[in-house]
Amino acid sequence: MSDLNQNMIEKYRNSFLKEVEANVEEGEWVKMCMQCGVCSGSCPLGKHWAHPPQEIFMMIRAGQREAVLSSDAMWMCTSCYNCIVRCPRELPITHIMHGLAHYARRLGLAPKGQPTMAFAQIFWDNMMKAGRVNELKLGLSLYYKDGFVQGIKNSLANMKLGQNMIKAKRMNAVEFFGGHGVKDVSGLQKMIRKAQELEDARIAKYGK
Amino acid sequence: MSAEKKLVGYLCTGCGIGDRLDAKQLLSTAKREGKLQECKQHEMLCNAEGVKMIKDDITEGATHIMIAACSRRAKVEAFNFPEAAMTRANLREGVIWVRPATDENGETTQEMAEDYIRMACAELRTINKPSSSGEQSLNKNILVVGGGVTGMTASLEAAAAGYPVTLVEKSGALGGHAALLHKRVPHRAAAIGTTNSRTADLPQPVDNNVAELITRIESAGNISVQLNSTVAKTSGAPGRFSVEIATASGPTISADFGAIIQASGFKPYDAGQLGEFAYGASPDVVTNLELEQLAKEAGNGPIRRPSDGKEVQSVAFIQCAGQRSEREAHLPYCSGFCCTTSIKQAIYFKDQNPGCDATILFDDLRTPGAAGEDFYRAGQQKMVTFSKGKATEVVPGSSLLVRFQDLILNEATEITCDLVVLATGIVANSGPDPYAQLAFDEAAEGSSEKETLRKALEVAPPSILNLSYRQGTDLPHLRHGFTDSHFICFPYETRRTGIYAAGPVRRPMDIQQAMDDAAGAAMKAIQAVENAGLGRAAHPRSGDLSFPSFRKEGCTQCKRCTVECPFGAINEDDKGYPLYNEARCRRCGTCMGACPVRVISFENYSVESVNQQIKNCNIPDEFAEKPRVLVFACENDAYPALDQASMSGRELTPWARVIPVRCLGSINLSWITDSLNSGYDGVVLMGCRRDDDYQCHFVRGSAIAAERMSKVGDTLSSLNLEPERVALYEVAITDIERAPKLINDMADTIARIGQSPFKF
Amino acid sequence: MTEVVATNQTILVVGGGISGMTAALEAAETGKQVVLVEKRPYLGGRVSQLHKYFPKLCFPACGLEINQRRAKMNPNLTILTMAEVTGLSGEAGSYTATVKINPRYVNENCTACGECGKAVSAEFPNEFDYGLSKRKGAYLPNTMAHPMRYVIDPAMLGSDEAQKAKDACKYNAIDLDMQDEEISIPCGAVVWATGWKPYDAARIQPYGYDRFSNVITNVEFERMADPSGPTGGRIIRPSDGKEAKNVAFIQCAGSRDRNHLLHCSRICCMATLKQCHYVTDAYADATVSVYYIDIRAIDRFEDFYAKVKAKDNVSFIKSKVASVTQDKEANPVLHGVNTEGYHRYANTHDLVVLAVGMEPSVEAGSFPVPIVINREGFIEPASENGGVFAAGSASDALDVNRSVQHATGAALRAIQVVNRVAGTEG
């Protein structure tokens, strides 16, 4: 960690809050939280979180950068939007949670092996290949993510479901061999790479 | 006068009175025993025809009228005859509605009604229509003491209504503490149509407005300002206050005023008591008021810290510093303005020191109302960090270390910053508590109590008003040194008539509330002026023209009246005789109750007017086995409670005879002894709650009555009577079930212990 | 036809609650002609429906008695009940107000003897008890009502019941042919004191006010605590009438909330602290939980907060409750997080009281006069308002003391205008 970052994480200073404002989707809202806790209480998965949203917001304002960004809390969000609906201060909490998760991953601070993050990566990689998601491959990648043996077990367990989906024309086995994509895949890839470069440059000064 | 007296009675037979009672017998009682010249019967006395009949009689010479109908609280507008003296016999709520309509009860119900007629007639014979004393005088000039925002606002408001004002300020300039502010908290909430978002356009700190107020004062034309001046002496009463104003430069000015507004403001809490926060140990720990000075000095540039002039890059605010705390030398109350003030000051830093971090450590963030909550949001928009945390220590140094418990993150933590602002509170700038001096005077010489009181008096603040009143130099305190009085329904129900406190001397408040308060006090001041001009009482007996007078030849100069008057209305002359100040009097009759020789009376309420009621009630002999329970009920709470009990169908013992009194404080012990002597079996007194949360609208009346009654035991034992025969209760207006029950309980007690031995 | 004597030196007061009564009485007792217009059939407004006041735990009826006595005695004051201002034209110093008077069907002959009420059997929800009890179709709104006069419910009109009421009256007080009337009143200044209404709790969906009978509002709880209220003063559960000993208060129910009211309603913290007393006074073995964001016991109210906090059986949980569910025994279960250290809870209570906030009685856009209001619909003290001055909670969420303070000042502002008209302003 650089000296710069040492300075930035001084307690109860705005540096981390400003970092969040600059880099996290809807991060500008964090300062508006009044710590009522209705989001924390409304989350259906709340009991599985180490830090509920309202606490995360207080931690951000208290400058607890490391603890926030390495937390798996925001990865638990299922986008049910209960918190957004109830927040008395209109914070788009769901978006902020996803924004924080994304930011933590970009910085490489997200907890290793976090399953939600693993799935997101598989989804992203799958999508990047053809410009749209190949559902068959996505499913298989997910089954085999923990190794070949586990993959076979997962596939067998879900075989019936797969057959039914094929029957119902909800899935096409031919997709396994390439599948269709968007018209100009390389153009799309270039666009996204450029966007990533810009984002990387922006967050570079925040380091890890 | 008595030669021209014409007493006429009216019996209403409506609302079932005629069905339940023997009207003929009642008429005859009124005439024969009540000694009325005439008594008329009407089937609905309160209708236009009935009222016209009474009015015609008054035109034709009736001076005293007795109305036997419903409660004195009912049909007040119909039975409103200011030209005559009037009494009312309560036959509806007081008799027929509280007694079952059965044959076996017929006799006792009729007896009850006849007694009330006898009592109303007896009372009528002893009273006269009140007329003003001739003492009244109209003086429209208002004195305002204190030239801060409250005093200036009060002056402008009174002047705008056409009442000339003299504004006395002890310092050399107007403006008070508000003039020291860099900016003030906005009074307004977001404008209509403002969207709710994190970028919403919310009100920001605004100019302190003092210069504008001063300009308006200077150009008002009917406001005269006395700077470097204090009030050296105040005597008189509403409508004729005589005031000496001491000036620093010239001679004392004497002037007369109709009413006075005390806007003496506050003193900042002494932060020197806050050693744990390094106040005094580090120049970079400042109070909220001191920060205003730093912000002013900075103009709109960056605020610099006192120690080395460094631009402040981080600041922490400690809320409730020395407040909301039971610790020695701390203030137990919340000063009310500090949360919004800290938000405002944090915004100074955000606006003037780019990049500065500001953290507010609070317990409860108190930003009520529409404007308050919007201002909280405004602070958040500026990225002020609000942390629910309890500061425990500030460690001085080139960088200050604030140790605190973060209550949300549940950890002991700390923050380093360039400057710490202590959100300290206010102390009322009131004069000495008048009752502290009186308590000292009355305490036994050499007692430890006297010593404690002496010590308290030694540190008492100087007087603000220098009232030459029997009961001390200044407005009484209620709690924590604030000169408040009633503080819910009647915030201006002052204990010194015609003198109204406004602003933070009355109760902790912010500028906006102080300005509202100033307008309210100005309203009451001009009202006091107008009432004094007409000889009318101020709240709660608004408009009452009666006033107490005393027979000097009977007076023993015992001073009970001058000591007990809850409003300090009575002075003493050189010889120790009471000197009444009609316009200061609130007509509660506490003086009348206090007088051991019964020389104090009102034209329409006196020891005699009640005594006659007591005497004229029939006391059957012991063989009749019809006991009598005399009830004195406070007219504001207990009597309405009994009325409502009656309306909702609750029964009352037929032995009860209820006499409404202005206040329990007006009850003269002679009424108790005389009634027991003449064969009443029990006496029930019903007054208002009298503890710290007193509900007596004459403040001390009920408490004084209780003190007097504590001695009634001696009287009872000298008469060889059981102590249970006299009972004193605190009764609220909502005691609809309890009030009649207490009276019925007395009837049961008598059934148990037997009737009085004093019957004929 | 109702006759009202008024001139351009008359002060019109709109609203007969504590603020309007105060403004009207202070002005009238200073010698000004005042016309007071009240929508309800009686004076006192919302405070007449309160059991006790904070922080003295005294009774609003006590102050009301004094104010009503002042009103009855004052010849300068004209009171119009069941009346509403529908329009105002002109300018400061010379306004004309249009006032619509709804029929009471009972005239001034009424002695409040109660015979009509006895004769009628039709019952209606009692608005004085927020519908928690029933009243007759011929009724006295409450035992303190001023004017002390019965009212015939317009829903009875044309029925046998209405005729029964009329026949029962011996004093020709019931007039079933009474019509609406509209009158014009000249006035120099207007005090606007239309007050507040409780926020509609059913709109706070997660708290289930509309679904769970043991979730009630603070204004309803106030009626419940009143010995002359719907339960005779017993603190019980609406679902089964059992004693409610374990009571939860949810603060900021509808206040400080972008889904509801953005403002802080100021009174609800203190009202809850007061209502804590109702519960602990009723039951020695009571437990009370207050779920709050900030306890706003401002200025010397702190004393009162300290007193309640010191009670062993009252606890304070810093949490905005997320939702309320109901178990099989109809017990409300509160879900949320205690934010002081992150403790998740699912707490079962006998009864839940929602500390609903205040919103202005008159909705934005419904003012019959042009007036400047803020985002929350409260009247701003703007010079554009001319001779119209807000008093009390029409101007902000205010408690009784602040309302009276504000209304007293408003009376003065009105007097300044009429004194200018009279040329006596010096």
Side-chain angles (χ1 to χ4, degrees), chain B residues 449-640:
Chain B
E449 189 197 354
K450 186 122 182 159
E451 206 38 48
T452 315
L453 291 164
R454 187 198 312 279
K455 276 182 190 148
L457 280 177
E458 273 166 17
V459 295
S463 172
I464 308 251
L465 296 174
N466 284 300
L467 296 168
S468 52
Y469 280 22
R470 167 68 174 88
Q471 291 186 21
T473 55
D474 285 85
L475 292 178
H477 300 178
L478 189 57
R479 261 200 119 168
H480 311 313
F482 292 94
T483 58
D484 208 340
S485 179
H486 179 269
F487 73 81
I488 303 177
C489 300
F490 306 106
Y492 302 102
E493 191 179 70
T494 171
R495 289 164 69 179
R496 293 292 177 266
T497 313
I499 305 175
Y500 300 93
V505 67
R506 193 168 77 74
R507 142 178 215 166
M509 58 179 81
D510 60 16
I511 292 178
Q512 181 184 17
Q513 194 184 349
M515 291 175 79
D516 285 346
D517 203 33
M523 171 73 241
K524 294 304 287 190
I526 71 166
Q527 187 184 67
V529 161
E530 296 296 335
N531 275 331
L534 296 166
R536 292 197 301 220
H539 181 91
R541 292 188 61 83
S542 318
D544 190 349
L545 287 169
S546 72
F547 57 92
S549 60
F550 84 112
R551 261 188 315 112
K552 196 169 182 178
E553 52 276 27
C555 175
T556 60
Q557 297 124 294
C558 76
K559 302 181 185 175
R560 287 323 306 164
C561 58
T562 64
V563 170
E564 291 191 3
C565 173
F567 303 98
I570 314 168
N571 278 13
E572 285 159 20
D573 70 8
D574 302 340
K575 296 192 176 120
Y577 286 111
L579 276 175
Y580 283 87
N581 291 279
E582 180 196 325
R584 265 152 59 179
C585 171
R586 303 280 264 278
R587 283 73 164 171
C588 59
T590 298
C591 52
M592 180 175 119
C595 183
V597 287
R598 312 179 211 178
V599 297
I600 302 170
S601 60
F602 297 79
E603 278 179 294
N604 55 359
Y605 186 55
S606 62
V607 175
E608 185 60 6
S609 75
V610 175
N611 242 336
Q612 284 303 321
Q613 293 180 66
I614 295 169
K615 281 188 184 144
N616 278 277
C617 172
N618 248 5
I619 308 284
D621 64 28
E622 61 180 308
F623 306 108
E625 290 186 1
K626 287 173 176 171
R628 287 292 175 258
V629 177
L630 185 63
V631 181
F632 292 109
C634 158
E635 67 178 3
N636 188 59
D637 289 67
Y639 201 76

Side-chain angles (χ1 to χ4, degrees), chain A residues 10-15 17-18 21 26 28-29 31-35 54-55 58-59 61-62 64 88-90, chain B residues 196-198 314 350 355 357 359 373 376-377 380-381 383 385-387 404 406 408-409 411 413-417:
Chain A
E10 225 180 313
K11 284 177 172 177
Y12 298 88
R13 291 297 177 75
N14 289 347
S15 43
L17 179 60
K18 283 179 181 162
E21 288 214 345
E26 303 283 12
E28 302 94 321
W29 277 99
K31 63 191 173 200
M32 300 305 290
C33 168
M34 64 167 169
Q35 295 293 311
Q54 143 270 327
E55 195 184 23
M58 196 62 231
M59 290 163 77
R61 300 191 320 205
Q64 297 187 1
R89 281 293 173 89
E90 208 174 345
Chain B
N196 178 43
S197 78
R198 64 181 164 75
S314 54
K350 291 293 183 181
D357 295 338
T359 303
E373 197 64 14
Y376 182 11
R377 289 189 191 90
Q380 289 184 303
Q381 283 182 338
M383 219 185 242
T385 296
F386 291 87
S387 175
F404 69 102
D406 186 317
I408 297 294
L409 301 179
E411 59 185 13
T413 184
E414 67 215 14
I415 172 173
T416 54
C417 51

Side-chain angles (χ1 to χ4, degrees), chain B residues 193-478:
Chain B
T194 308
T195 53
N196 178 43
S197 78
R198 64 181 164 75
T199 54
D201 183 13
L202 299 176
Q204 299 294 316
V206 294
D207 286 345
N208 69 24
N209 212 32
V210 167
E212 194 218 319
L213 282 174
I214 293 174
T215 310
R216 283 173 57 203
I217 295 257
E218 284 166 351
S219 57
N222 53 355
I223 302 176
S224 116
V225 179
Q226 294 292 336
L227 297 175
N228 299 308
S229 304
T230 53
V231 174
K233 188 180 176 209
T234 306
S235 58
R240 52 174 186 85
F241 283 116
S242 170
V243 179
E244 288 174 17
I245 300 165
T247 60
S249 48
T252 297
I253 302 165
S254 295
D256 295 337
F257 298 97
I260 298 171
I261 295 168
Q262 181 183 332
S264 49
F266 68 91
K267 291 172 282 202
Y269 170 75
D270 172 18
Q273 312 275 359
L274 301 174
E276 68 272 33
F277 295 147
Y279 184 83
S282 166
D284 297 331
V285 177
V286 299
T287 66
N288 41 13
L289 203 59
E290 289 162 351
L291 182 81
E292 294 292 339
Q293 185 57 29
L294 293 181
K296 262 199 153 177
E297 281 164 9
N300 285 318
I303 295 169
R304 296 169 185 280
R305 69 181 193 182
S307 63
D308 55 5
K310 174 182 178 286
E311 279 183 25
V312 175
Q313 287 305 307
S314 54
V315 57
F317 293 84
I318 298 177
Q319 296 309 106
C320 308
Q323 303 190 61
R324 298 179 63 194
S325 152
E326 290 301 327
R327 277 174 55 188
E328 179 80 29
H330 282 201
L331 307 177
Y333 50 89
C334 156
S335 291
F337 71 94
C338 340
C339 280
T340 48
T341 293
S342 289
I343 294 171
K344 174 192 74 173
Q345 295 180 339
I347 291 176
Y348 292 169
F349 287 101
K350 291 293 183 181
D351 288 348
Q352 295 168 221
N353 295 41
C356 180
D357 295 338
T359 303
I360 294 179
L361 301 174
F362 68 94
D363 186 1
D364 293 288
L365 204 76
R366 292 179 170 172
T367 56
E373 197 64 14
D374 274 345
F375 199 51
Y376 182 11
R377 289 189 191 90
Q380 289 184 303
Q381 283 182 338
K382 298 265 164 127
M383 219 185 242
V384 176
T385 296
F386 291 87
S387 175
K388 187 170 168 89
K390 233 178 168 47
T392 49
E393 189 188 7
V394 176
V395 183
S398 63
S399 190
L400 299 160
L401 184 73
V402 182
R403 295 216 163 94
F404 69 102
Q405 179 72 24
D406 186 317
L407 297 169
I408 297 294
L409 301 179
N410 199 23
E411 59 185 13
T413 184
E414 67 215 14
I415 172 173
T416 54
C417 51
D418 295 334
L419 189 76
V420 168
V421 181
L422 304 178
T424 45
I426 57 164
V427 178
N429 185 33
S430 47
D433 184 350
Y435 294 118
Q437 183 66 50
L438 286 177
F440 174 77
D441 293 346
E442 301 215 331
E445 204 59 55
S447 67
S448 66
E449 189 197 354
K450 186 122 182 159
E451 206 38 48
T452 315
L453 291 164
R454 187 198 312 279
K455 276 182 190 148
L457 280 177
E458 273 166 17
V459 295
S463 172
I464 308 251
L465 296 174
N466 284 300
L467 296 168
S468 52
Y469 280 22
R470 167 68 174 88
Q471 291 186 21
T473 55
D474 285 85
L475 292 178
H477 300 178
L478 189 57

